[in-house]
C-alpha cells in the first residue's frame, strides 16, 4: 500500500513540474514578441558578429546597421536586410568606427517592432598578454622619464611592463647637469638626476638613449655668459662632452649628440652659441669629441619636423651626410611631435626612405600626437581618440617597414596624457600620449600595436 502511495506521489510531482515548466515557456515565448539584440562579438578592425534572441513563430528577421543612432546612414546592404538565422557577420567596415544595429522579427510576413539598439566600435583589440615592447621585434620601445616618475611605483609598473628603453626627458640636458664654470675653466656638475635615471634603467636591463649633449635651448648660464675666447669655449664643450660620455660609458647606449641644429623652413644652421663660437663645422667637432670618449656608443642627430618640412630635412641631411662621410654618425632621430592630421603616412614613408637609403639607424624619437588642433576642445572625444589611434598606427606601420638593420627605437615622449609637455608649453588642453591620466590604455595604445602586426 505504502509502495503505491509513493508511486502516486511521484507521478503527481512529475506532472506538476512538467506542466509548470511548459506553462512557463509558453509565457516567455508569448512575451518575447520583439527580438533582443545581443552585444557584438568577434570585434575586429573591419568586422564584427552580431546575434539576437529569436522570437516565437518568426519567419525571418530584418537587420539594420547604421553609422548613427537614429538610423539615417545605413551600412551598404543593411537597410532592412532579410536574414533567416539569428546572427550575421558584418564585414568590410571601417576601422575605429562606431556602428549601431537593431533587428525586427517577421510574424506572418509583418515586421515586429525594433529590438533594442546596440552600438559597437570596430577596432583592433590586442591580446591581453601583448605589450608595446613585445609587439616590437628588432627595435626598442622607449619612453621619456624623469627622476620623480622612476621612483613612483605606479609609473614603474607600466614602464617595466611596456618599455625596454628610456630617454631622460630633461635630466641629461646640458643646462641641467652643468652647475658652473670657474675662473680656471673647471666645470662643476650635478649628476644626481641623470644618475638616478641611468641607475634605474641599468637595474631593469633597459636600453638608455642619452638626450641631449648639445642643444641650443639647454645652455647653462655659465656658458651663455662665458667671456673667454672661442677656443676656450670649444675646450669647455669638449671637456663637457668627454666627461659626460665617459661617465656613462657602457651604460648609455646612444646619444643625441646635437639636437635641432637647423632653422625651420630653411636649410640653414641655427646661429646658436655653438655655431657662433665653434664655427660652421661644430657638429663634426661635437660628434668627434663624443666618438673619442666612447668609440662604441651610438651617435645620433635628432630634430623635429623632419617629415613635414622638406627644406629643413634637406638641410639636416646635408649635415648628416657630412657626418656619415667622416664616419661619425650612427643614427638619426626624427622627433615625432605630430598631430592627428599630419604628417600623412606617405610623407612619413618618404622622409624615412631618406634615412634607409643612407643606411643609418633610425629613431622615431619623442612621439606624441596632438588632437586638439583648434584649441577649443575641453574633452577628449571618441572621434579624436580614434583619429589619434589611426595616426599612431600609421607611425608604427611605417616604422615597421624599415629594414631590421636600420631599426633602432620608437620612443614615446611621456607615459600618460598629463605628463606631456604640450599643455604647459602651448597653454592648451591635449591628450597626446598612449595612456590616460589613470594609467589606462587608450585607443592609441591599440593603434601602436596594430601597426606592428
Ligand atoms: O619635454 C621637455 C619639457 O619638459 C622641457 O620643459 C623642454 C625644455 O627643456 O624640453 C622638452 O623636450 C624637448 C626635447 O628635449 C627636444 N625636442 C623638443 C621637446 C619638446 O620641447
Amino acid at each position: 500500500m505504502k509502495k503505491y502511495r509513493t508511486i502516486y506521489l511521484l507521478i503527481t510531482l512529475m506532472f506538476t513540474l512538467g506542466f509548470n515548466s511548459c506553462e512557463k515557456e509558453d509565457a516567455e515565448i508569448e512575451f518575447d514578441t520583439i527580438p533582443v539584440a545581443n552585444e557584438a562579438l568577434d570585434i575586429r578592425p573591419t568586422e564584427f558578429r552580431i546575434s539576437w534572441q529569436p522570437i516565437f513563430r518568426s519567419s525571418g528577421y530584418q537587420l539594420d546597421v547604421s553609422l548613427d543612432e537614429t538610423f539615417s546612414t545605413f551600412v551598404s546592404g543593411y537597410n532592412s536586410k532579410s536574414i533567416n538565422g539569428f546572427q550575421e557577420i558584418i564585414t568590410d567596415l571601417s576601422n575605429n568606427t562606431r556602428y549601431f544595429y537593431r533587428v525586427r522579427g517577421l510574424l506572418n510576413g509583418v515586421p515586429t517592432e525594433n529590438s533594442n539598439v546596440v552600438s559597437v566600435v570596430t577596432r583592433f583589440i590586442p591580446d591581453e598578454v601583448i605589450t608595446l615592447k613585445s609587439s616590437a621585434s628588432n627595435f626598442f620601445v622607449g619612453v621619456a622619464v624623469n627622476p620623480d616618475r622612476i621612483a613612483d611605483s605606479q609609473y614603474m609598473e607600466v614602464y617595466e611592463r611596456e618599455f625596454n628603453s628610456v630617454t631622460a626627458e630633461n635630466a641629461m640636458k646640458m643646462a641641467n647637469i652643468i652647475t658652473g664654470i670657474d675662473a680656471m675653466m673647471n666645470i662643476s656638475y650635478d649628476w644626481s638626476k641623470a644618475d638616478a635615471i641611468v641607475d634605474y634603467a641599468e637595474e631593469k636591463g633597459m636600453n638608455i638613449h642619452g638626450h641631449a649633449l648639445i642643444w641650443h635651448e639647454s645652455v647653462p648660464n655659465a656658458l651663455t655668459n662665458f667671456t673667454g675666447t672661442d677656443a676656450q669655449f670649444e675646450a669647455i664643450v669638449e671637456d663637457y662632452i668627454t666627461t659626460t660620455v665617459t661617465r656613462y660609458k657602457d651604460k648609455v647606449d646612444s646619444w643625441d649628440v646635437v639636437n635641432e641644429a637647423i632653422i625651420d623652413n630653411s636649410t640653414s644652421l641655427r646661429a646658436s652659441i655653438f655655431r657662433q663660437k665653434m664655427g660652421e663645422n661644430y657638429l663634426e667637432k661635437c660628434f668627434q669629441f663624443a666618438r673619442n670618449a666612447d668609440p662604441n656608443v651610438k651617435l645620433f642627430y635628432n630634430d623635429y619636423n623632419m617629415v613635414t618640412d622638406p627644406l629643413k630635412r634637406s638641410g639636416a641631411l646635408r649635415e648628416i651626410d657630412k657626418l656619415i662621410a667622416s664616419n661619425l654618425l650612427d643614427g638619426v632621430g626624427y622627433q615625432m611631435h605630430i598631430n592627428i592630421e599630419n604628417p600623412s603616412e606617405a610623407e612619413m614613408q618618404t622622409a624615412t626612405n631618406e634615412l634607409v637609403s643612407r643606411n643609418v639607424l633610425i629613431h622615431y624619437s619623442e612621439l606624441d600626437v596632438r588632437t586638439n588642433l583648434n584649441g577649443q576642445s575641453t574633452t577628449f572625444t571618441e572621434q579624436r581618440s580614434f583619429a589619434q589611434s589611426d595616426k599612431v598606427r600609421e607611425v608604427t606601420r611605417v616604422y615597421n617597414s624599415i629594414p631590421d638593420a636600420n631599426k633602432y627605437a620608437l620612443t614615446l615622449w611621456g607615459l600618460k596624457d598629463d605628463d606631456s609637455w604640450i599643455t604647459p608649453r602651448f597653454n592648451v588642453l591635449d591628450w597626446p600620449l598612449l595612456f590616460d591620466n589613470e594609467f589606462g590604455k587608450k585607443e592609441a595604445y591599440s593603434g601602436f600595436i596594430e601597426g606592428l602586426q
Side-chain angles (χ1 to χ4, degrees):
M1 195 61 205
K2 201 174 169 200
K3 196 167 129 199
Y4 288 117
R5 211 173 58 213
T6 313
I7 290 169
Y8 171 80
L9 276 173
L10 267 175
I11 291 169
T12 316
L13 190 68
M14 277 164 63
F15 264 88
T16 317
L17 282 176
F19 282 128
N20 273 351
S21 66
C22 272
E23 272 165 26
K24 197 157 170 260
E25 261 170 38
D26 272 352
E28 269 178 16
I29 290 165
E30 287 302 321
F31 185 71
D32 280 347
T33 53
I34 306 170
V36 175
N38 299 323
E39 291 299 315
L41 292 170
D42 302 338
I43 298 167
R44 306 219 159 77
T46 57
E47 65 178 55
F48 50 77
R49 181 162 65 87
I50 65 181
S51 63
W52 50 93
Q53 290 160 32
I55 52 169
F56 190 53
R57 289 194 184 117
S58 174
S59 56
Y61 297 87
Q62 288 183 340
L63 175 62
D64 295 334
V65 185
S66 168
L67 278 158
D68 63 291
E69 210 167 352
T70 55
F71 290 84
S72 59
T73 318
F74 291 95
V75 169
S76 169
Y78 283 98
N79 181 356
S80 300
K81 180 177 183 187
S82 296
I83 294 180
N84 283 324
F86 315 126
Q87 66 164 348
E88 175 84 345
I89 297 174
I90 324 281
T91 58
D92 297 325
L93 300 170
S94 304
N95 196 358
N96 280 345
T97 306
R98 184 173 288 284
Y99 293 92
F100 299 86
Y101 60 87
R102 66 185 181 194
V103 64
R104 293 172 292 280
L106 289 173
L107 296 177
N108 301 323
V110 180
T112 65
E113 278 177 51
N114 286 313
S115 71
N116 52 315
V117 173
V118 177
S119 104
V120 51
V121 173
T122 46
R123 51 191 293 262
F124 172 76
I125 303 173
D127 200 304
E128 276 298 309
V129 296
I130 293 183
T131 62
L132 299 179
K133 67 179 175 187
S134 79
S135 68
S137 48
N138 304 303
F139 66 92
F140 296 110
V141 181
V143 59
V145 299
N146 74 24
D148 295 342
R149 295 177 193 141
I150 53 158
D152 176 321
S153 60
Q154 274 189 290
Y155 277 94
M156 286 164 73
E157 189 196 323
V158 187
Y159 288 156
E160 290 155 33
R161 187 185 74 215
E162 303 286 345
F163 300 94
N164 49 16
S165 179
V166 298
T167 303
E169 183 170 4
N170 291 305
M172 295 173 94
K173 289 173 181 168
M174 193 183 202
N176 296 337
I177 290 181
I178 294 185
T179 52
I181 301 168
D182 70 14
M184 303 298 292
M185 292 193 1
N186 292 313
I187 311 173
S188 50
Y189 296 94
D190 175 1
W191 300 107
S192 55
K193 295 195 165 104
D195 280 359
I197 289 171
V198 170
D199 290 349
Y200 169 75
E202 281 283 286
E203 193 196 317
K204 302 297 175 191
M206 295 164 120
N207 182 75
I208 304 172
H209 178 69
H211 173 82
L213 291 168
I214 299 294
W215 183 31
H216 66 281
E217 278 197 34
S218 186
V219 184
N221 290 338
L223 213 55
T224 310
N225 304 330
F226 187 71
T227 53
T229 65
D230 289 356
Q232 286 172 326
F233 181 96
E234 188 172 316
I236 288 173
V237 169
E238 178 171 8
D239 186 356
Y240 149 76
I241 291 181
T242 308
T243 306
T244 307
V245 173
T246 305
R247 181 180 184 85
Y248 296 118
K249 204 171 182 167
D250 301 327
K251 294 182 174 173
V252 166
D253 300 275
S254 49
W255 276 104
D256 288 330
V257 180
V258 176
N259 192 40
E260 304 174 6
I262 307 292
I263 299 174
D264 294 353
N265 302 309
S266 125
T267 61
S268 308
L269 285 175
R270 286 178 198 278
S272 70
I273 192 168
F274 305 103
R275 160 77 184 79
Q276 288 171 40
K277 296 201 182 273
M278 293 169 66
E280 216 177 318
N281 61 341
Y282 85 91
L283 279 90
E284 278 106 313
K285 290 179 178 175
C286 294
F287 275 77
Q288 188 67 63
F289 300 151
R291 187 66 104 211
N292 295 345
D294 181 356
N296 296 321
V297 74
K298 297 177 192 81
L299 305 181
F300 280 71
Y301 175 76
N302 189 52
D303 213 331
Y304 64 89
N305 287 4
M306 296 283 271
V307 173
T308 49
D309 184 343
L311 258 192
K312 180 174 186 171
R313 183 168 72 236
S314 73
L317 289 171
R318 178 196 64 228
E319 297 302 315
I320 287 162
D321 286 338
K322 284 195 270 178
L323 293 165
I324 293 172
S326 312
N327 203 19
L328 289 171
L329 177 134
D330 301 292
V332 174
Y334 278 180
Q335 294 179 20
M336 287 300 213
H337 298 296
I338 61 174
N339 66 58
I340 52 175
E341 286 176 4
N342 290 297
S344 69
E345 188 166 356
E347 286 173 310
M348 290 190 249
Q349 192 70 64
T350 302
T352 302
N353 291 346
E354 294 277 18
L355 300 181
V356 172
S357 67
R358 285 167 170 80
N359 198 21
V360 293
L361 291 173
I362 300 169
H363 186 193
Y364 279 5
S365 58
E366 310 188 19
L367 174 62
D368 45 37
V369 182
R370 292 180 68 168
T371 67
N372 192 3
L373 304 191
N374 61 11
Q376 301 302 304
S377 186
T378 51
T379 53
F380 187 52
T381 60
E382 183 178 80
Q383 202 190 7
R384 285 200 185 83
S385 158
F386 293 152
Q388 184 180 53
S389 181
D390 289 342
K391 190 51 75 183
V392 169
R393 185 179 64 239
E394 290 174 13
V395 169
T396 55
R397 195 156 56 193
V398 174
Y399 194 83
N400 221 24
S401 76
I402 297 170
D404 281 351
N406 302 105
K407 284 185 183 134
Y408 182 58
L410 214 162
T411 297
L412 274 305
W413 207 237
L415 182 69
K416 37 194 206 85
D417 287 335
D418 57 358
D419 297 345
S420 173
W421 66 292
I422 304 274
T423 292
R425 169 69 77 91
F426 301 106
N427 196 24
V428 66
L429 269 179
D430 216 316
W431 303 266
L433 295 168
L434 300 192
F435 290 82
D436 64 27
N437 297 348
E438 281 72 50
F439 297 91
K441 297 170 184 172
K442 292 167 57 187
E443 293 294 338
Y445 174 96
S446 304
F448 186 103
I449 293 174
E450 187 182 358
L452 298 175
Q453 301 302 298

